[in-house]
């Protein structure tokens, strides 16, 4: 079945590319890329869980994901830039404030990052999985820095949109642009404390989304600059990713780095099918789907406790990649997946019906695009802090929309 599903996604990519649905093309291509590695994984790994790619599970995978692709089956919308002094002034204020806060957080936890590197970025992950205490005392500044990044590092994604908008449409403001780009890496930087790769991959995926979004507005000179920025930043991030991957492989895959990397990239579809065919227990809880609401009403969500509950009831480990619809399936069952997907489709379709986008619109598009884009691994918005950052992004979008509506003459 994996070959058939892969061919189906290839057709979707070609169709969206032919119709010049650039956002859809990129999103589908990410899943197609993962499916390619799923094929390799099936042919090289003897894991019995990878043998459950049934017609039923594959149909669910293909049909449900269409709810997340179809809203982006539109040609690239024109971006309506506002270059009035009033708008640029307020834009700059937001940019300086957000990037400044994140950069401050990065500086304040520098000592802890150094401590994590000295401990060993791979060893620190192993120790945390064993519930060992890695970091000792946090002084006041370290605690403040940790709190800033814990709660706000997911603003990296709207800040990337702000960076590209400024890079394309706003002249000068070089310090602001540098600050926004560097602060957008705060999520990957924060991930060093746990030897993680997820924030790094999320940043790369979203950076490429922004490239697709703004590419047609880049001049030849700006494209050369972006090429340079991309080469430097992606090379550095790739180096970090490889170091962590090799270390993890040595701990869990007997030194077989290729197998570990293959599993990381290609397991999502295969694990999704395994869960569809074998999971016989659902919590019917929205704790992961709407984390902030549930945390306010019922207390903070404990993922470790939740994983233990699922494993006790079903014998299945959910600490793996099985896409965001896999997470929703575990929490709400097939009917819940359908309801969530229909709601997403209706909301996304309404947002995408505009013929041109302002910066406010782009920030909202960034929110809805994150769910399936980062969802190639799992449901990325399960943390309460993610909800807080989404609310802040919506407030910023609303504020900029109000400024944008003010008639201004230079």
């Amino acid at each position: 079945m994996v070959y058939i599903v892969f061919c189906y996604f290839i057709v979707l990519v070609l169709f969206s590319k032919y119709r010049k649905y650039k956002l859809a093309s990129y999103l589908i291509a990410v899943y197609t890329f993962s499916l390619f590695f799923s094929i390799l994984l099936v042919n090289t790994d003897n894991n019995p869980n990878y043998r459950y790619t049934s017609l039923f599970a594959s149909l669910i995978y293909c049909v449900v994901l269409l709810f997340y692709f179809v809203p982006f089956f539109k040609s690239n919308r024109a971006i309506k830039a506002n270059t009035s002094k009033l708008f640029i002034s307020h834009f700059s204020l937001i940019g300086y404030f957000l990037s400044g806060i994140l950069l401050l957080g990065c500086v304040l936890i520098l000592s802890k990052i150094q401590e994590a590197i000295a401990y060993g970025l791979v060893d620190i992950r192993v120790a945390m999985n064993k519930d060992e205490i890695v970091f000792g005392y946090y002084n006041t500044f370290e605690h403040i820095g940790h709190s800033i990044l814990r709660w706000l590092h997911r603003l990296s994604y709207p800040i990337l949109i702000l960076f590209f908008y400024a890079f394309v449409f706003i002249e000068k403001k070089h310090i602001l642009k540098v600050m926004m780009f560097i602060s957008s890496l705060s999520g990957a930087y924060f991930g060093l404390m746990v030897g993680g790769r997820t924030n790094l991959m999320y940043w790369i995926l979203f950076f490429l989304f922004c490239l697709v979004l703004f590419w047609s507005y880049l001049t030849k000179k700006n494209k050369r600059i972006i090429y340079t920025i991309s080469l430097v930043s992606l090379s550095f991030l790739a180096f970090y990713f490889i170091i962590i991957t090799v270390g993890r492989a040595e701990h869990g895959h007997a030194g077989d780095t290729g197998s570990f990397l293959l599993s990381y990239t290609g397991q999502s579809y295969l694990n999704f099918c395994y869960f569809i065919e074998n999971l016989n227990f659902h919590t019917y809880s929205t704790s992961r789907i709407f984390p902030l609401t549930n945390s306010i009403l019922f207390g903070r969500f404990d993922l470790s406790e939740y994983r233990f509950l699922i494993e006790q009831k079903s014998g299945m480990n959910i600490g793996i990649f099985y896409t965001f619809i896999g997470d929703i399936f575990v929490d709400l069952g097939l009917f819940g997946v359908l309801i969530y997907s229909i709601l997403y489709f209706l909301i996304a379709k309404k947002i995408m019906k505009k013929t041109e986008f302002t910066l406010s619109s782009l920030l909202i598009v960034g929110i809805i695009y994150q769910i399936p884009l980062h969802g190639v691994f799992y449901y990325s918005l399960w943390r309460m802090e993610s909800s807080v950052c989404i609310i802040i992004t919506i407030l910023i979008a609303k504020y900029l929309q109000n400024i944008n509506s003010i008639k201004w003459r230079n």
Side-chain angles (χ1 to χ4, degrees):
M1 281 306 303
V2 64
Y3 292 96
I4 297 174
V5 173
F6 178 71
C7 290
Y8 166 78
F9 273 74
I10 288 289
V11 171
L12 285 179
V13 169
L14 293 176
F15 170 76
S16 56
K17 187 174 179 58
Y18 173 75
R19 297 297 298 270
K20 298 183 179 179
Y21 301 153
K22 294 182 180 179
L23 292 181
S25 297
Y26 171 58
L27 183 58
I28 300 169
V30 169
Y31 282 82
T32 308
F33 182 79
S34 177
L35 281 166
F36 172 75
F37 285 94
S38 296
I39 291 174
L40 298 179
L41 196 55
V42 165
N43 291 320
T44 58
D45 198 304
N46 294 321
N47 188 335
N49 294 353
Y50 297 160
R51 302 292 178 262
Y52 287 92
T53 56
S54 67
L55 175 62
F56 176 67
S58 298
L59 276 175
I60 292 172
Y61 186 82
C62 293
V63 173
V64 169
L65 281 176
L66 277 179
F67 284 100
Y68 301 88
F69 297 157
V70 171
F72 302 104
F73 279 6
K74 298 180 182 296
S75 56
N76 257 22
R77 295 316 197 214
I79 297 176
K80 186 179 180 181
N82 188 337
T83 56
S84 71
K85 292 181 180 179
L86 177 64
F87 185 82
I88 291 176
S89 174
H90 286 269
F91 173 94
S92 300
L93 180 64
I94 291 171
Y96 280 123
F97 180 76
L98 292 181
S99 57
I101 287 290
L102 288 176
L103 290 174
L104 175 63
C106 290
V107 171
L108 293 179
I109 66 162
L110 178 60
S111 56
K112 287 300 178 187
I113 297 296
Q114 293 172 330
E115 193 176 326
I117 293 173
Y119 192 98
L121 295 177
V122 176
D123 295 330
I124 201 170
R125 186 73 170 195
V126 174
M128 286 182 169
N129 288 337
K130 295 179 180 178
D131 295 324
E132 296 177 7
I133 297 176
V134 176
F135 298 107
Y137 172 75
Y138 278 75
N139 63 39
T140 302
F141 295 113
E142 291 169 343
H143 181 73
I144 293 172
H146 186 274
S147 296
I148 289 173
L149 292 188
R150 173 191 159 198
W151 283 98
L152 300 179
H153 77 266
R154 290 169 185 83
L155 289 175
S156 300
Y157 312 122
I159 285 177
L160 263 180
I161 293 177
L162 295 179
F163 162 74
F164 272 91
Y165 185 91
F167 187 77
V168 172
F169 298 116
I170 298 178
E171 296 180 355
K172 300 180 180 179
K173 300 288 183 181
H174 301 302
I175 294 177
L176 173 62
K177 295 171 186 176
V178 170
M179 286 179 63
M180 287 194 294
F181 181 77
I182 295 176
S183 65
S184 77
L185 291 162
S186 58
Y189 177 82
F190 189 54
L192 290 173
M193 293 192 66
V194 294
R197 297 169 297 175
T198 303
N199 288 338
L200 164 66
M201 289 305 302
Y202 283 175
W203 186 91
I204 292 173
L205 289 172
F206 205 83
F207 179 83
L208 294 175
F209 158 71
C210 290
L211 269 182
V212 172
L213 198 61
F214 288 94
W215 186 255
S216 60
Y217 294 90
L218 292 170
T219 63
K220 288 184 178 181
K221 178 183 177 182
N222 284 344
K223 285 180 180 178
R224 287 196 295 269
I225 296 173
I226 285 294
Y227 276 134
T228 303
I229 292 173
S230 301
L231 182 63
V232 173
S233 56
L234 293 179
S235 296
F236 174 77
L237 295 174
F239 175 75
Y240 168 68
F241 182 86
I242 291 170
I243 292 296
I244 296 297
T245 299
V246 171
R248 295 267 194 93
E250 291 175 350
H251 277 83
H253 281 67
D256 187 356
T257 305
S259 174
F260 186 68
L261 186 59
L262 189 61
S263 176
Y264 180 90
T265 311
Q267 65 177 279
S268 292
Y269 160 73
L270 302 175
N271 286 332
F272 172 82
C273 292
Y274 172 68
F275 268 76
I276 290 292
E277 291 293 331
N278 293 277
L279 186 69
N280 55 13
F281 171 79
H282 302 282
T283 59
Y284 296 104
S285 166
T286 58
S287 296
R288 283 196 295 181
I289 311 303
F290 304 111
L292 182 59
T293 303
N294 280 269
S295 295
I296 293 173
L297 296 176
F298 308 112
R300 190 174 181 85
F301 174 71
D302 187 327
L303 181 61
S304 298
E305 184 179 307
Y306 191 74
R307 285 178 175 175
F308 180 71
L309 171 65
I310 299 295
E311 193 160 9
Q312 265 196 326
K313 296 292 185 179
S314 68
M316 301 175 72
N317 172 31
I318 65 170
I320 55 176
F321 297 159
Y322 52 1
T323 75
F324 72 108
I325 52 175
D327 271 329
I328 298 171
F329 171 70
V330 169
D331 294 355
L332 302 176
L334 278 178
F335 184 71
V337 169
L338 181 62
I339 295 300
Y340 182 94
S341 301
I342 291 174
L343 289 174
Y344 176 93
F345 173 80
L346 295 175
I347 293 171
K349 190 173 179 61
K350 183 176 181 180
I351 292 171
M352 292 300 298
K353 73 177 182 180
K354 296 181 178 180
T355 56
E356 59 182 15
F357 288 135
T358 62
L359 176 58
S360 301
S361 305
L362 293 178
L363 291 172
I364 302 302
V365 170
I367 293 173
I368 63 169
Y369 202 85
Q370 273 185 64
I371 296 174
L373 178 63
H374 293 164
V376 70
F377 299 117
Y378 54 79
Y379 187 73
S380 64
L381 304 181
W382 67 272
R383 293 181 182 274
M384 179 171 60
E385 294 86 349
S386 298
S387 299
V388 171
C389 288
I390 287 174
I391 292 171
I392 292 173
T393 304
I394 293 172
L395 291 176
I396 292 171
K398 183 63 178 176
Y399 174 75
L400 290 175
Q401 184 181 31
N402 291 337
I403 298 299
N404 199 54
S405 64
I406 298 174
K407 293 183 179 180
W408 179 264
R409 295 182 179 178
N410 291 315

